[in-house]
Amino acid sequence: MELDISSTSLPVYEALASDVRLKIIQLLSKRKMNIKELAQALNISSAIVTKHVNKLEVAGLIKTEKIPGKSGLQRISILKVDHINIDFPTKIYNSFENYTSSIPVGHFTDYDVLPTCGLATIGHFIGEVDEPKYFMDPERMDAGILWFTQGFVNYKTPNLLKENEKLEQIDISFEISSEFPFTNNEWPSDIHFSLNNVDLGTWTSPGDFGDARGKYTPAWWPANINQYGLLKTIRITRDNGTYIDGEALSQTRIADFSSHDDIWNFKIEVKSNVKNIGGVTLFGKGFGNHDQDIKFKVYYS
């Protein structure tokens, strides 16, 4: 589950602000349970458990199903979520000016991918899934999502820096996950990033998320395949190396790049020699939890 610092995420925060509801989550992480079983385990009344279960269900943390029992229908509670990521607002460095560009996920300039793979617009799949040749279909320019198990996609955006402007920092943000044939929240993938042929490092995606529907994912998109990713920001600093959401990624610094190159060349790759070949899914506008494409921000002084 992907959360942010806004009122839309409040139901989840409120649901978690209870010792009883935290214990219910812990119990349901081991097995499905009905109201009576939860009440006995917690040593409280079924009426009180029902109120707590309703709160967790409204927040999207659990789901309930009614199945036949000895005395009629019984309400079974099932845990829906095994991972929560909280996206904090990006810090703004007011001391620097910046150039910002946005690259749609379908605007890659080169690729080499292996199935499972595919692309889709906000209205339909592009060609046939698991056929890499459709990554060259002209309609790919309208893609809002793409996925592959192994290989790479390469993006280019112009370097807008002028001769008298000094490169200080680069931020690249995107919504990303692993790629599993359907969904699997625990499906690690070692995803490598490079910029202008300089290694930025490898980040391990924890999974391919399908426990909740993406906020912007279109209604026609099947419920049993990937729904959203994690919003990640790669930050290349002047003195301290490269980070992804504050965690060290590599020792690559701004000094390793020429600010006079005409093009920024960004590559996302799953190599054949890594431990976790778990694929990549990129979410652009109209898919996932963040209505954005690949954002490229260059800070200068």
Side-chain angles (χ1 to χ4, degrees), residues 167-170 195 198-200 235-243 250-258:
L167 180 61
E168 299 284 356
Q169 180 174 291
I170 299 173
L195 182 66
V198 177
D199 288 342
L200 300 180
R235 172 164 291 166
I236 308 167
T237 69
R238 183 173 55 188
D239 302 315
N240 300 311
T242 297
Y243 296 81
S250 71
Q251 294 299 312
T252 299
R253 301 177 299 155
I254 285 298
D256 296 316
F257 299 93
S258 171

Side-chain angles (χ1 to χ4, degrees), residues 141-210:
M141 305 299 282
D142 297 323
I145 187 173
L146 66 81
W147 62 97
F148 58 89
T149 294
Q150 186 181 316
F152 72 88
V153 284
N154 196 88
Y155 296 91
K156 292 184 178 180
T157 191
N159 180 2
L160 302 177
L161 286 171
K162 299 178 178 61
E163 282 192 17
N164 63 335
E165 294 170 345
K166 180 182 178 183
L167 180 61
E168 299 284 356
Q169 180 174 291
I170 299 173
D171 283 1
I172 310 169
S173 68
F174 40 85
E175 186 173 352
I176 191 170
S177 75
S178 308
E179 158 52 21
F180 187 79
F182 292 97
T183 68
N184 189 335
N185 284 14
E186 297 183 13
W187 186 253
S189 183
D190 299 332
I191 303 172
H192 184 77
F193 306 98
S194 62
L195 182 66
N196 287 11
N197 297 317
V198 177
D199 288 342
L200 300 180
T202 299
W203 168 74
T204 301
S205 168
D208 184 18
F209 305 106

